[in-house]
Amino acid sequence: IWIAILGVNKEKVSHSSCMKVHFKGTRGSIPTSYSADEINKKIVDALLAARGKDLRSEGQIIDFVKNKLPFHTSCGWGGNTPCVYVETPSAEKLILDGGSGIRPLGQEFAKAGIKNTTFHIFISHLHYDHIQGLPFFIPAYDPSNKIIFHGGHKHLEESLRAQMKTPFFPIDMDTFNAEVSFEIHKPGDELELCESKISLYQQEHPGVSYGYRIDSQGKSMVYSTDAEHKNAAHSKKYPFIDFIRGADLLIFDAPYTHSQSIGIREDWGHSSNLMGVELAARGEVKTLAIFHHDPASTDQEMEVFQANTKKYLDTSRTAIKETRPGIPGAPSSRKFPTEILHSYDGLTISL
């Protein structure tokens, strides 16, 4: 997998070019932004870290910022709510959710002069953080474009139109100049579009949410946000395992620690980082991308959360390796996931 930010390669794990996954919004619940004090602290921390370094040329400065500073100082996880753009070999566009992250995505499409295009927007569910960016999606106002909303909720069209009605919004959806249509699907359906096969999975979340698996030219990814995995997740025949099995990438909703997920936040419809690791391991997923971050988490807290997630994977591998073979119910050797990352606004992964 090739990981990049702002067009600059950050890490090379392997190489392929079938699908590119662009994370445009990775926070959950509500958009967040940096305060003046938080930005000021990042600048001060960067200048303090630069003391005594040979940073005379622009190239040296760029290298220092991108490769030497901690991520929470040089960048950050961002604050837009869920939106992921999956770039396939097709000229048509495949988008997952319409949170506030779809606004900058639409700006990028407009800047690139993309017209006469069909945009497939798959909605996981209808909570506001997953649809609030749709009124600001520039391609929807271009009469040469076609927008197709996909989802598993029967009232998909009614709900999307409702958020743009008075008194909630100054203009309604009929203001969209693009041709707009709605398609309802059900779990088990297999769609063929954007040179990909797309399937749905019903997830446990207040109001129900849907996960999507995308298979294209030998590569696969699963988008599973806003899903809570309870006691049934520990059973041998948990259906979600088959849904994610062998995926190259699993985008997994995990704003909570394990203790938070079984405490006061139980039944809120979300999962934990440890559950993500366990399910990815059982499903033999190559890369686990933690998603739908808690809006209350700072960049420094996110960095600690990421480190703890990776530490748990390493610890569990050691524990399983030391388990004596032959013990009934003993887990098999843990080879997956091979990589864990915490998604952030601006991250691009090539599968």
Side-chain angles (χ1 to χ4, degrees):
I1 294 174
W2 188 284
I3 301 175
I5 179 173
L6 302 178
V8 180
N9 300 323
K10 295 289 284 184
E11 181 179 353
K12 185 178 180 182
V13 183
S14 64
H15 55 85
S16 184
S17 58
C18 177
M19 285 194 290
K20 284 186 178 180
V21 183
H22 305 265
F23 292 83
K24 311 309 295 184
T26 57
R27 290 277 175 173
S29 304
I30 189 171
T32 63
S33 62
Y34 296 110
S35 68
D37 287 343
E38 289 171 323
I39 295 173
N40 182 270
K41 188 177 187 309
K42 285 178 180 287
I43 296 172
V44 171
D45 288 347
L47 292 175
L48 289 173
R51 290 184 300 181
K53 303 294 191 299
D54 185 9
L55 302 174
R56 288 173 292 179
S57 71
E58 181 179 354
Q60 289 173 318
I61 294 172
I62 292 174
D63 178 70
F64 174 75
V65 170
K66 291 176 179 174
N67 301 313
K68 302 298 192 302
L69 287 176
F71 185 80
H72 71 263
T73 300
S74 63
C75 302
W77 272 265
N80 276 316
T81 51
C83 179
V84 174
Y85 165 46
V86 182
E87 187 178 353
T88 70
S90 172
E92 297 186 352
K93 308 302 180 185
L94 176 55
I95 301 169
L96 302 168
D97 271 334
S100 64
I102 203 170
R103 186 185 72 89
L105 177 61
Q107 290 174 319
E108 291 176 12
F109 287 145
K111 186 176 180 180
I114 294 175
K115 296 177 175 291
N116 300 299
T117 300
T118 298
F119 297 84
H120 297 274
I121 304 178
F122 284 79
I123 303 297
S124 64
H125 65 304
L126 298 162
H127 288 169
Y128 193 49
D129 53 325
H130 294 258
I131 64 174
Q132 63 192 166
L134 294 175
F136 304 94
F137 186 54
I138 294 177
Y141 297 90
D142 188 328
S144 72
N145 292 327
K146 184 176 182 180
I147 310 290
I148 304 177
F149 292 105
H150 300 264
H153 297 83
K154 293 182 180 180
H155 52 290
L156 176 66
E157 178 176 0
E158 176 187 353
S159 299
L160 294 186
R161 288 187 178 278
Q163 75 156 338
M164 293 185 66
K165 287 184 177 180
T166 303
F168 309 113
F169 206 74
I171 58 175
D172 59 32
M173 189 172 278
D174 290 335
T175 309
F176 286 173
N177 293 318
E179 178 184 343
V180 178
S181 60
F182 302 82
E183 295 188 8
I184 309 302
H185 313 289
K186 61 182 183 298
D189 287 353
E190 190 173 85
L191 316 176
E192 293 193 12
L193 51 85
C194 294
E195 298 187 33
S196 306
K197 290 184 178 180
I198 304 173
S199 54
L200 290 77
Y201 179 86
Q202 185 171 317
Q203 303 177 138
E204 185 163 344
H205 189 75
V208 178
S209 70
Y210 293 91
Y212 297 101
R213 179 175 178 129
I214 303 168
D215 292 89
S216 180
Q217 300 189 19
K219 296 294 181 179
S220 58
M221 63 158 288
V222 173
Y223 178 75
S224 176
T225 187
D226 292 69
E228 187 166 4
H229 301 274
K230 298 184 177 180
N231 290 337
H234 302 287
S235 65
K236 290 184 178 180
K237 295 184 178 181
Y238 189 44
F240 183 76
I241 301 300
D242 291 328
F243 183 65
I244 67 173
R245 190 173 303 282
D248 293 285
L249 172 66
L250 168 60
I251 300 174
F252 187 83
D253 174 288
Y256 305 150
T257 63
H258 174 65
S259 60
Q260 288 173 330
S261 70
I262 61 174
I264 191 174
R265 303 183 188 189
E266 188 175 7
D267 298 324
W268 286 13
H270 299 284
S271 195
S272 72
N273 54 342
L274 304 195
M275 180 60 76
V277 172
E278 291 297 324
L279 294 176
R282 292 171 58 192
E284 300 184 346
V285 169
K286 292 181 181 177
T287 298
L288 171 64
I290 301 298
F291 187 75
H292 203 277
H293 309 311
D294 189 332
S297 296
T298 66
D299 283 340
Q300 288 176 306
E301 290 169 338
M302 286 292 300
E303 205 153 278
V304 172
F305 191 70
Q306 179 182 38
N308 289 339
T309 307
K310 292 182 177 181
K311 182 179 179 180
Y312 174 77
L313 175 61
D314 293 340
T315 302
S316 65
R317 281 174 174 162
T318 301
I320 289 174
K321 184 178 180 181
E322 293 176 352
T323 302
R324 291 192 320 179
I327 297 178
S332 59
S333 175
R334 176 160 294 188
K335 298 180 181 179
F336 300 95
T338 57
E339 178 76 7
I340 294 177
L341 58 90
H342 278 56
S343 58
Y344 53 86
D345 297 6
L347 172 67
T348 295
I349 301 176
S350 294
L351 302 181

PDB file of all heavy atoms in Angstrom, residues 204-216:
ATOM      1  N   GLU A 204     -25.236  -2.788  13.150  1.00  0.00           N
ATOM      2  CA  GLU A 204     -25.953  -2.385  14.359  1.00  0.00           C
ATOM      3  C   GLU A 204     -25.585  -0.950  14.721  1.00  0.00           C
ATOM      4  O   GLU A 204     -24.436  -0.645  15.062  1.00  0.00           O
ATOM      5  CB  GLU A 204     -25.621  -3.325  15.517  1.00  0.00           C
ATOM      6  CG  GLU A 204     -26.434  -3.036  16.763  1.00  0.00           C
ATOM      7  CD  GLU A 204     -26.431  -4.178  17.761  1.00  0.00           C
ATOM      8  OE1 GLU A 204     -26.070  -5.304  17.386  1.00  0.00           O
ATOM      9  OE2 GLU A 204     -26.790  -3.922  18.934  1.00  0.00           O
ATOM     10  N   HIS A 205     -26.571  -0.083  14.630  1.00  0.00           N
ATOM     11  CA  HIS A 205     -26.398   1.338  14.929  1.00  0.00           C
ATOM     12  C   HIS A 205     -27.798   1.919  15.090  1.00  0.00           C
ATOM     13  O   HIS A 205     -28.732   1.465  14.421  1.00  0.00           O
ATOM     14  CB  HIS A 205     -25.653   2.040  13.784  1.00  0.00           C
ATOM     15  CG  HIS A 205     -25.253   3.451  14.092  1.00  0.00           C
ATOM     16  ND1 HIS A 205     -24.204   3.766  14.923  1.00  0.00           N
ATOM     17  CD2 HIS A 205     -25.766   4.644  13.681  1.00  0.00           C
ATOM     18  CE1 HIS A 205     -24.079   5.084  15.012  1.00  0.00           C
ATOM     19  NE2 HIS A 205     -25.025   5.633  14.266  1.00  0.00           N
ATOM     20  N   PRO A 206     -28.012   2.894  15.965  1.00  0.00           N
ATOM     21  CA  PRO A 206     -29.344   3.499  16.086  1.00  0.00           C
ATOM     22  C   PRO A 206     -29.861   3.971  14.729  1.00  0.00           C
ATOM     23  O   PRO A 206     -29.226   4.789  14.064  1.00  0.00           O
ATOM     24  CB  PRO A 206     -29.112   4.676  17.036  1.00  0.00           C
ATOM     25  CG  PRO A 206     -27.954   4.230  17.887  1.00  0.00           C
ATOM     26  CD  PRO A 206     -27.061   3.470  16.954  1.00  0.00           C
ATOM     27  N   GLY A 207     -30.986   3.417  14.300  1.00  0.00           N
ATOM     28  CA  GLY A 207     -31.527   3.765  12.986  1.00  0.00           C
ATOM     29  C   GLY A 207     -30.984   2.898  11.874  1.00  0.00           C
ATOM     30  O   GLY A 207     -31.401   3.036  10.722  1.00  0.00           O
ATOM     31  N   VAL A 208     -30.052   2.031  12.174  1.00  0.00           N
ATOM     32  CA  VAL A 208     -29.413   1.104  11.226  1.00  0.00           C
ATOM     33  C   VAL A 208     -28.441   1.844  10.299  1.00  0.00           C
ATOM     34  O   VAL A 208     -28.736   2.924   9.790  1.00  0.00           O
ATOM     35  CB  VAL A 208     -30.442   0.337  10.359  1.00  0.00           C
ATOM     36  CG1 VAL A 208     -29.751  -0.577   9.359  1.00  0.00           C
ATOM     37  CG2 VAL A 208     -31.383  -0.469  11.228  1.00  0.00           C
ATOM     38  N   SER A 209     -27.273   1.242  10.109  1.00  0.00           N
ATOM     39  CA  SER A 209     -26.305   1.762   9.134  1.00  0.00           C
ATOM     40  C   SER A 209     -25.915   0.629   8.203  1.00  0.00           C
ATOM     41  O   SER A 209     -26.180  -0.548   8.481  1.00  0.00           O
ATOM     42  CB  SER A 209     -25.064   2.327   9.837  1.00  0.00           C
ATOM     43  OG  SER A 209     -24.290   1.283  10.403  1.00  0.00           O
ATOM     44  N   TYR A 210     -25.261   1.000   7.101  1.00  0.00           N
ATOM     45  CA  TYR A 210     -24.853   0.009   6.111  1.00  0.00           C
ATOM     46  C   TYR A 210     -23.367   0.160   5.800  1.00  0.00           C
ATOM     47  O   TYR A 210     -22.866   1.283   5.601  1.00  0.00           O
ATOM     48  CB  TYR A 210     -25.675   0.145   4.825  1.00  0.00           C
ATOM     49  CG  TYR A 210     -27.124  -0.205   5.027  1.00  0.00           C
ATOM     50  CD1 TYR A 210     -28.054   0.778   5.381  1.00  0.00           C
ATOM     51  CD2 TYR A 210     -27.566  -1.520   4.905  1.00  0.00           C
ATOM     52  CE1 TYR A 210     -29.391   0.458   5.608  1.00  0.00           C
ATOM     53  CE2 TYR A 210     -28.899  -1.855   5.129  1.00  0.00           C
ATOM     54  CZ  TYR A 210     -29.798  -0.857   5.473  1.00  0.00           C
ATOM     55  OH  TYR A 210     -31.113  -1.184   5.703  1.00  0.00           O
ATOM     56  N   GLY A 211     -22.690  -0.981   5.788  1.00  0.00           N
ATOM     57  CA  GLY A 211     -21.299  -1.004   5.369  1.00  0.00           C
ATOM     58  C   GLY A 211     -21.255  -1.375   3.900  1.00  0.00           C
ATOM     59  O   GLY A 211     -22.182  -2.002   3.372  1.00  0.00           O
ATOM     60  N   TYR A 212     -20.173  -0.980   3.231  1.00  0.00           N
ATOM     61  CA  TYR A 212     -20.030  -1.262   1.805  1.00  0.00           C
ATOM     62  C   TYR A 212     -18.687  -1.940   1.532  1.00  0.00           C
ATOM     63  O   TYR A 212     -17.656  -1.508   2.044  1.00  0.00           O
ATOM     64  CB  TYR A 212     -20.126   0.032   0.996  1.00  0.00           C
ATOM     65  CG  TYR A 212     -21.470   0.719   1.112  1.00  0.00           C
ATOM     66  CD1 TYR A 212     -21.647   1.817   1.955  1.00  0.00           C
ATOM     67  CD2 TYR A 212     -22.565   0.253   0.405  1.00  0.00           C
ATOM     68  CE1 TYR A 212     -22.879   2.438   2.081  1.00  0.00           C
ATOM     69  CE2 TYR A 212     -23.809   0.867   0.525  1.00  0.00           C
ATOM     70  CZ  TYR A 212     -23.963   1.957   1.355  1.00  0.00           C
ATOM     71  OH  TYR A 212     -25.181   2.561   1.486  1.00  0.00           O
ATOM     72  N   ARG A 213     -18.738  -2.997   0.729  1.00  0.00           N
ATOM     73  CA  ARG A 213     -17.517  -3.653   0.269  1.00  0.00           C
ATOM     74  C   ARG A 213     -17.367  -3.380  -1.219  1.00  0.00           C
ATOM     75  O   ARG A 213     -18.324  -3.538  -1.992  1.00  0.00           O
ATOM     76  CB  ARG A 213     -17.555  -5.155   0.514  1.00  0.00           C
ATOM     77  CG  ARG A 213     -16.285  -5.852   0.018  1.00  0.00           C
ATOM     78  CD  ARG A 213     -16.227  -7.318   0.355  1.00  0.00           C
ATOM     79  NE  ARG A 213     -15.004  -7.903  -0.189  1.00  0.00           N
ATOM     80  CZ  ARG A 213     -14.155  -8.636   0.504  1.00  0.00           C
ATOM     81  NH1 ARG A 213     -14.393  -8.886   1.785  1.00  0.00           N
ATOM     82  NH2 ARG A 213     -13.072  -9.131  -0.075  1.00  0.00           N
ATOM     83  N   ILE A 214     -16.180  -2.955  -1.604  1.00  0.00           N
ATOM     84  CA  ILE A 214     -15.901  -2.615  -2.998  1.00  0.00           C
ATOM     85  C   ILE A 214     -14.772  -3.511  -3.489  1.00  0.00           C
ATOM     86  O   ILE A 214     -13.675  -3.518  -2.921  1.00  0.00           O
ATOM     87  CB  ILE A 214     -15.504  -1.136  -3.147  1.00  0.00           C
ATOM     88  CG1 ILE A 214     -16.617  -0.246  -2.585  1.00  0.00           C
ATOM     89  CG2 ILE A 214     -15.215  -0.793  -4.606  1.00  0.00           C
ATOM     90  CD1 ILE A 214     -16.207   1.209  -2.432  1.00  0.00           C
ATOM     91  N   ASP A 215     -15.035  -4.283  -4.539  1.00  0.00           N
ATOM     92  CA  ASP A 215     -14.032  -5.150  -5.161  1.00  0.00           C
ATOM     93  C   ASP A 215     -13.797  -4.666  -6.586  1.00  0.00           C
ATOM     94  O   ASP A 215     -14.757  -4.506  -7.355  1.00  0.00           O
ATOM     95  CB  ASP A 215     -14.502  -6.605  -5.172  1.00  0.00           C
ATOM     96  CG  ASP A 215     -14.573  -7.205  -3.777  1.00  0.00           C
ATOM     97  OD1 ASP A 215     -15.643  -7.080  -3.128  1.00  0.00           O
ATOM     98  OD2 ASP A 215     -13.565  -7.780  -3.333  1.00  0.00           O
ATOM     99  N   SER A 216     -12.535  -4.431  -6.915  1.00  0.00           N
ATOM    100  CA  SER A 216     -12.209  -3.925  -8.245  1.00  0.00           C
ATOM    101  C   SER A 216     -10.852  -4.442  -8.685  1.00  0.00           C
ATOM    102  O   SER A 216      -9.839  -4.189  -8.025  1.00  0.00           O
ATOM    103  CB  SER A 216     -12.210  -2.384  -8.251  1.00  0.00           C
ATOM    104  OG  SER A 216     -11.895  -1.873  -9.530  1.00  0.00           O
TER     105      SER A 216
END
